[in-house]
């Protein structure tokens, strides 16, 4: 490897972890399999499966990097009037998180996708990341957006946290 070789994706995220040390993390949640209790079904719930720093379109955990999925705030179930079915769905997910043990108002990430940084470093694609032997790892932060170097994107996102 020469000195002008672009840094690998895994190395960039190691630097991010070091810079975020001590910063608050957010919960990673997943749907729990519903068990029957005394013959009755239980309401669906979202339970904690880990935690990570939320950095733009990434969730950076100690041993992995994920693409962000849905972001919600846990909220106790309450009778509410809804003008749209999407509001009802969001409220149901928020209540499922509260039933799973999250505190009211706690941020929960759901539907995240683990990224394969080794594949990206080998020139492949994983989620929003693409390997490029000339420019290093590239990120596409929106479906219609152009790619940009991952190192620049991460630096910009870290700058927003100051």
């Amino acid at each position: 490897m020469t000195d002008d070789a672009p840094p690998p994706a895994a190395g960039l995220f190691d630097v991010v972890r070091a810079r975020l040390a001590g910063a608050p993390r957010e919960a990673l949640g997943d749907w729990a399999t519903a068990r029957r209790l005394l013959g009755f079904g239980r309401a669906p719930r979202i339970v904690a499966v880990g935690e990570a720093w939320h950095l733009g379109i990434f969730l950076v955990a100690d041993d992995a990097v994920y693409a962000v999925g849905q972001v919600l705030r846990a909220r106790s179930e309450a009778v509410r009037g809804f003008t749209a079915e999407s509001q009802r769905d969001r409220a149901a997910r928020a209540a499922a998180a509260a039933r799973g043990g999250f505190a009211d108002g706690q941020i929960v990430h759901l539907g995240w996708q683990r990224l394969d940084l080794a594949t990206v470093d080998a020139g492949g694609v994983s989620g929003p990341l693409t390997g490029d032997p000339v420019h290093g790892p590239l990120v596409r932060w929106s479906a219609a957006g152009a790619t940009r170097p991952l190192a620049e994107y991460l630096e910009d996102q870290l700058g927003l946290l100051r």
Side-chain angles (χ1 to χ4, degrees):
M1 192 179 219
T2 65
D3 288 340
D4 357 352
L12 292 171
F13 282 107
D14 287 342
V15 171
V16 166
R17 286 181 189 97
R19 289 181 61 185
L20 289 174
R25 298 180 189 207
E26 296 176 0
L28 302 178
D30 201 2
W31 290 99
T33 54
R35 296 187 325 246
R36 296 184 75 77
L37 185 62
L38 299 174
F40 296 98
R42 294 175 62 181
R45 58 195 170 96
I46 298 170
V47 296
V49 294
E51 61 182 15
W53 291 286
H54 185 181
L55 191 66
I57 62 168
F58 299 110
L59 295 166
V60 183
D62 289 334
D63 59 350
V65 178
Y66 306 95
V68 170
Q70 302 168 21
V71 182
L72 59 100
R73 285 190 184 270
R75 183 175 63 206
S76 298
E77 204 158 9
V79 177
R80 294 181 173 89
F82 298 102
T83 57
E85 193 62 32
S86 61
Q87 288 177 311
R88 185 178 314 279
D89 292 342
R90 278 193 305 274
R93 286 191 304 270
R99 282 191 301 275
F102 293 100
D104 268 7
Q106 184 176 358
I107 296 173
V108 181
H109 292 271
L110 187 64
W112 32 266
Q113 171 194 3
R114 186 180 182 125
L115 302 178
D116 186 348
L117 301 182
T119 297
V120 172
D121 288 337
V125 176
S126 182
L129 294 175
T130 303
D132 184 312
V134 176
H135 301 102
L138 303 174
V139 62
R140 182 179 308 274
W141 54 274
S142 76
T147 58
R148 69 182 287 203
L150 177 61
E152 290 177 14
Y153 178 81
L154 293 174
E155 191 59 41
D156 285 351
Q157 292 299 314
L158 287 167
L160 294 173
L161 298 177
R162 292 186 193 131

